[in-house]
Amino acid sequence: MMRRIAVLDAPTNLGLRPPTATSAPGCAKAPGALRDHGLLARLRARDAGCLTSPRYDPGDWRPGDGVCHASEISGYSVALADRIGAIIDRGEFPLVLGGDCSVLLGSALAMHRLGEAVGGRIGLVFVDGHSDFRHPGNASYVGAAAGEDLALVTGRGQADLAAIEGRRPYFRDIDVVVLGIRAQDEYRLDLQAAGITTRPVPALRAEGAARTAQWAHEQLADCAGYWVHIDVDVLDPAVMPAVDAPDPGGIAFAELEILLAGLVDTPHCLGVELTVFDPDYDPDGSYAAEIVNTVVSGLAPVSAPAAMPPRLLPATPAPPSPRRGNGRPQPSRPVAPAPVVTPAPAVAVEPIGPVAEDATSTDDAPPIQSAGPEPVGPRASAGPGLLRRVAPPEEEAVAGREPVEPPASAGPVPVRRTSPEAEPASEPGDDASPGPSAGIA
């Protein structure tokens, strides 16, 4: 049984400062640019439509006024959370096409609602070139939500964004894993002090993308599920300059593909969002094509015929099942026929890899065979089942799956051309030159 992907457009610019005093960021064009390269058809995805963003208009905002467009972002986040929740309720896997990083607030609100509905917690895997952790406690002023989204979803900042519907925080610090930030990130020490787990690019490369995905999954073993945020500025500007704040020292497309495949190759992954691609810096569409290729390959484990859908929690706690060391229920073993000769004492053999489970098995079911060698990619979590709203009875059956060997490591770091240093970030109202070197406010 495969997990169907539903693609939802969230073309918002509200979290970014304007490139110039008279222009707007181009990230709102990203969903259309990616669709033009056949994304939905190649994913065999359902079109979940487009959530139109409020008008981008900083007006007379000045530093010290709080987050720009705060009221509009708050309302948009509530509507986005409603749409994401509806997709998950259908048993589908949401792929949200941003837009800037402020879309994370809507996703975070949806995850907090889901966790509250079933009495548990949802985690966050934050794949981004920047920590986006600016908040009033570590900065003289705040301004652009796209540069503050991780701080806001962990409860830091003004209540109209960090505590929508009275929910604060949307994600607990210990339930967040940050991947792909640069080694010199401005707020790396603040993340460490908060207890947020990080793996910057040098460590990610040293361990490899596949092992990093497995490690991230293990860090969130106490969560019943997690959401994945991907900002394409995690890529190096040599291969992806079409972002608002390119920063040297990023990863390659092949590494992002392997990382994404490892993160989604589990029923604990609830969905993915993609942000900050700016088609204004991609006139021939070549970067959009690269992104689509990477996303299609990276999401292949989700839509594969053997993919396991999210598990559903029963309305009341079920009695605990016998468990092995990896926390998964122990299936029954076939009994071998008695040999003709006097048998030696039987020795129980544990399989090396995970064993396929059949939620609808009976006493007449065929014997379950060992799954073979252990895959390199992430194992199923030893924590509780995936937190989901309870579905109607006819949706309760789930299909087994075979372990999927994750792709090979991305190999040596690609040689990239020299790229200029990113210009310092400025806020709306500051003098800023147009172009991809302008940073997030």
Side-chain angles (χ1 to χ4, degrees), residues 26-28 30 33-34 98-99 231-232 240 242-243 275-279 282 287-288 291:
C27 292
L34 299 177
D231 183 334
V232 297
M240 175 46 62
V243 296
T275 65
V276 174
F277 170 55
D278 191 336
D282 184 25
Y287 298 123
I291 293 173

Side-chain angles (χ1 to χ4, degrees), residues 5-23:
I5 298 172
V7 177
L8 172 63
D9 294 359
T12 176
N13 284 338
L14 298 173
L16 293 172
R17 69 178 181 87
T20 69
T22 58
S23 64

Side-chain angles (χ1 to χ4, degrees), residues 200-218:
V201 171
L204 191 160
R205 282 214 159 117
E207 292 296 325
R211 290 186 181 276
T212 294
Q214 177 177 340
W215 172 82
H217 190 202
E218 290 168 354

Side-chain angles (χ1 to χ4, degrees), residues 319-339:
S321 301
R323 293 182 176 274
R324 299 202 321 262
N326 63 0
R328 297 178 63 84
Q330 175 66 47
S332 59
R333 298 283 179 181
V335 179

